Amino acid sequence: MKAFIIHRYGKKEQLHLHEIAEPVVKENDVLIQVYSASVNLLDSKIKNGEFKLILPYKMPLVSGHDVAGVIIKTGAKVSRFKVGDEVYARPADHHIGTFAELIAINEADVALKPQKLTWEEAASIPLVALTAWQALVEKANLKKGQKVFIQAGSGGVGTIAIQLAKYIGATVATTTSTANVAWVKALGADVVIDYKTEDFETILRDYDVVLNSQDTQTLEKSLRILKPGGKLISISGPPDPAFAKEFRLGWPLKIVMGLLSFGVRRKAKRRHIGYSFLFMRAEGSQLSKITALIDAGFINPVVDKIFPFEKTNEALTYVESGRAKGKVVIKVI
């Protein structure tokens, strides 16, 4: 099969298209013929080596974290799916590789594709929707009537998180650039702050939850808009000791994680705010719940551009530029 390979870590490295052996299908795996895959900033960060201490991948590595396609083979113990099922998934860490014609994924990480979506739309969903779900539903336990600040409302996670929060019944504030203010309001945001001309810290007060995806300065400002008892969930760092424990990292890395997040955790504690770092995980059962919301019309995908498979490097470069509104997708078939 054809696949895009990373040979070594590095910011200047590109993905290389090669013919490689088809994946081995284990007893709990389904083999998926890839119709579409989407590109995430995580793909770039892994290529650059930013996560090599946490996720020490062996090279060469097939990249890619989102897939939509058709099951063409099942392992001996697979019970939830059959050949011919249309599915989508975010494969688990250490089992990624969606920038390819085929991928084998554990059935626990797979869900049936939303019926109303195209292949490209379906591929845009798993990683960002699972991130939004795990941040707002699992960690924040967001409730109807609460106020949530979702940063970067026009980004991949932001576009889905806004829609999920509105489905829950929360009041949503977000940030975006001048050109996207009306567009983000149409997604459902109640308060839209133009980060080029306004400072969210001077506008927002007494929020229950913040979903942080920006830099350290923004993280610290976010603490100041939360009310006592509020929750600050960051998907951009710094990682905390709970994350190190969850990932079963060794004691040297546990110490490092503790030091990296010590400052923000201390400031959060002083303000009686809970801080947690989220590195999303594959979870087919949660993705099935998201499928139901999509088919019911509560969540809609936001796809910016679709690139052909052979232009996967160009798609990755576009994502790295930070200009994408929603998701960037690769069409394999």
Side-chain angles (χ1 to χ4, degrees), residues 68-331:
V70 174
I71 293 176
I72 60 172
K73 185 177 181 180
T74 60
K77 292 188 176 180
V78 169
S79 60
R80 295 175 53 222
F81 301 98
K82 64 183 184 302
V83 171
D85 281 347
E86 298 182 350
V87 296
Y88 69 156
R90 191 286 204 196
D93 296 317
H94 299 293
H95 300 281
I96 64 171
T98 63
F99 297 164
E101 294 178 317
L102 299 169
I103 184 172
I105 305 178
N106 189 298
E107 68 168 337
D109 301 331
V110 177
L112 291 173
K113 167 186 166 290
Q115 295 178 356
K116 65 184 290 186
L117 300 189
T118 65
W119 293 111
E120 293 78 22
E121 289 172 334
S124 76
I125 290 289
L127 185 145
V128 294
L130 286 170
T131 300
W133 185 279
Q134 289 165 20
L136 300 182
V137 177
E138 194 173 82
K139 281 190 174 288
N141 193 26
L142 186 66
K143 300 292 187 184
K144 181 178 180 180
Q146 289 188 317
K147 297 194 297 183
V148 57
F149 174 43
I150 297 166
Q151 296 164 9
S154 59
V157 173
T159 55
I160 301 300
I162 289 169
Q163 295 178 76
L164 178 59
K166 291 307 297 180
Y167 166 75
I168 292 169
T171 296
V172 179
T174 192
T175 50
T176 193
S177 62
T178 308
N180 294 330
V181 168
W183 181 78
V184 170
K185 282 185 178 179
L187 285 176
D190 300 286
V191 180
V192 180
I193 297 162
D194 181 349
Y195 69 79
K196 291 188 175 182
T197 61
E198 299 173 301
D199 183 351
F200 72 83
E201 188 185 357
T202 67
I203 298 170
L204 306 180
R205 288 285 184 277
D206 295 326
Y207 270 63
D208 299 282
V209 177
V210 171
L211 175 52
N212 177 76
S213 58
Q214 305 301 301
D215 56 20
T216 302
Q217 181 182 4
T218 305
L219 181 74
E220 294 195 359
K221 288 168 66 175
S222 295
L223 283 171
R224 296 192 283 270
I225 71 161
L226 283 161
K227 65 184 182 184
K231 297 176 182 178
L232 174 55
I233 297 151
S234 179
I235 59 174
S236 59
D240 57 2
F243 163 75
K245 183 178 180 181
E246 181 182 349
F247 258 58
R248 299 178 181 177
L249 301 178
W251 65 266
L253 282 177
K254 288 181 180 178
I255 293 173
V256 170
M257 301 300 170
L259 291 173
L260 286 173
S261 61
F262 176 76
V264 67
R265 288 188 291 114
R266 180 178 60 183
K267 290 175 182 176
K269 187 175 181 180
R270 286 175 178 170
R271 303 179 75 92
H272 304 287
I273 290 166
Y275 171 79
S276 59
F277 171 72
L278 172 65
F279 192 91
M280 65 77 58
R281 68 183 187 281
E283 186 70 64
S285 60
Q286 289 180 352
L287 196 54
S288 293
K289 294 176 182 177
I290 292 162
T291 299
L293 294 180
I294 291 169
D295 281 334
F298 293 112
I299 292 177
N300 293 294
V302 179
V303 176
D304 184 332
K305 287 189 177 183
I306 299 172
F307 289 79
F309 183 51
E310 61 270 18
K311 293 191 175 180
T312 296
N313 275 304
E314 287 89 334
L316 187 59
T317 298
Y318 182 62
V319 168
E320 290 171 340
S321 74
R323 299 193 306 269
K325 290 168 60 176
K327 291 300 295 293
V328 174
V329 178
I330 297 164
K331 182 179 175 66

